[in-house]
Amino acid sequence: MPVAIITGASKGLGRALAAALAGRGWDLVVDARSAGPLEEAARELRAAGQGAGWAARVVALPGDVADAGHRAVLVAAAGELGGLDLLVNNASALGAEPLVRLADHPLDGLRTALEVNVVAPLGLIQQALPLLLMSSYLLSYEEFAAHTQRTFHDSGDDNGEAYDSHPYTKNARNAGLSVSPPYVGTGGAILNISSDAAVEAYPTWGGYGAAKAALDQQSAVLAAEEPGLRVWWVDPGDMRTDLYAAAVPDDDASGRPLPGTVVPALLRLLDGAAPSGRYTAASVAATTGEVSVR
């Protein structure tokens, strides 16, 4: 079965996406800073897999993505499950809670936002890259280019019982090493969760927005450097999350959509093997034909 690492998966969008993948039979490595909520989420994810008729394996590893040792443990766990097909960098830090104007923004908080939102995703990508390059879950760019009229669609919840995401290697943890089989897969996918604050000048969102803008540019360069992978950086839009409540505690978020409403758009990118690029969940959800990069 395909394997995904999802950071920040104890709640919000990370948890909702993990539940959807578990329901499709994916094996998951999930993390969050707090052990209790993460283990609760892991039980829900296993139940989601079982409810859909899959024996989804879920490895829950509490820790901080800013810790290189923790990132190594996440990648090793994916290797134990058979490899890695999708890496979701969802964990985020605001840098100030509540948000403040740049004139008052604590510099240590900005360093934390950059560490969690930019440095940690790159560190995890660097460690996961050999496994991702061995994945055969998605079509290659060459095959995609030969089908330029292809439209992106939801293929449903059936991944097929005979699916094997790593048919040419028995030990995907050795991917890229000299002892590995001489097989180069079509490549996996990286999903970096961005924000509209990366491209819009919202007062008080400057520190967080600067970190997400850096993540966007980092993602764009990675996509150019690694054409064998799909790299998607996605603005999920407004959501009712604990992160938003911490950012703007006096705002009434009751009318904001729940994170689960964003998940179908993310699955559409995955199902359609969408080309690398920046997307908004709203534009993906509203498109009936081919998904356009923004």
Side-chain angles (χ1 to χ4, degrees), residues 18 22 26-30 38-39 41-47 49 55-61 81:
W26 283 63
D27 293 327
L28 303 172
V29 178
V30 294
L38 180 62
E39 187 49 49
R43 288 194 293 269
E44 176 190 286
L45 298 177
R46 295 184 188 104
R57 295 173 293 175
V58 179
V59 180
L61 298 169
L81 292 176

Side-chain angles (χ1 to χ4, degrees), residues 5-8 31 33 63-72 74-75 87-93 110-129 132 190-193 211-212 214-215 218-219 222:
I5 294 175
I6 304 177
T7 66
D31 102 317
R33 286 189 291 268
D64 188 345
V65 292
D67 177 7
H70 175 63
R71 296 194 298 265
L74 295 176
V75 175
L87 170 59
V88 182
N89 284 306
N90 171 70
S92 293
L110 178 58
R111 293 185 185 98
T112 297
L114 290 168
E115 187 71 31
V116 174
N117 299 334
V118 186
V119 178
L122 179 57
L124 190 52
I125 289 166
Q126 288 175 339
Q127 291 176 306
L129 197 57
L132 287 167
I190 297 169
L191 171 60
N192 291 329
I193 301 302
K212 288 298 186 179
L215 177 65
Q218 182 172 277
S219 301
L222 180 68

Side-chain angles (χ1 to χ4, degrees), residues 200-229:
E200 299 290 346
Y202 300 132
T204 74
W205 288 84
Y208 178 77
K212 288 298 186 179
L215 177 65
D216 278 9
Q217 177 64 4
Q218 182 172 277
S219 301
V221 173
L222 180 68
E225 293 177 342
E226 300 293 342
L229 300 178

Side-chain angles (χ1 to χ4, degrees), residues 79-115:
E80 292 288 348
L81 292 176
L84 183 60
D85 303 289
L86 174 65
L87 170 59
V88 182
N89 284 306
N90 171 70
S92 293
L94 289 168
E97 298 181 10
L99 296 178
V100 295
R101 293 165 56 89
L102 286 174
D104 303 314
H105 201 294
L107 296 184
D108 284 344
L110 178 58
R111 293 185 185 98
T112 297
L114 290 168
E115 187 71 31

Side-chain angles (χ1 to χ4, degrees), residues 19-26 45-56 157-158 161:
L21 292 178
R24 291 172 165 224
W26 283 63
L45 298 177
R46 295 184 188 104
Q50 292 170 359
W54 302 101
D157 292 334
D158 183 6
E161 296 182 0

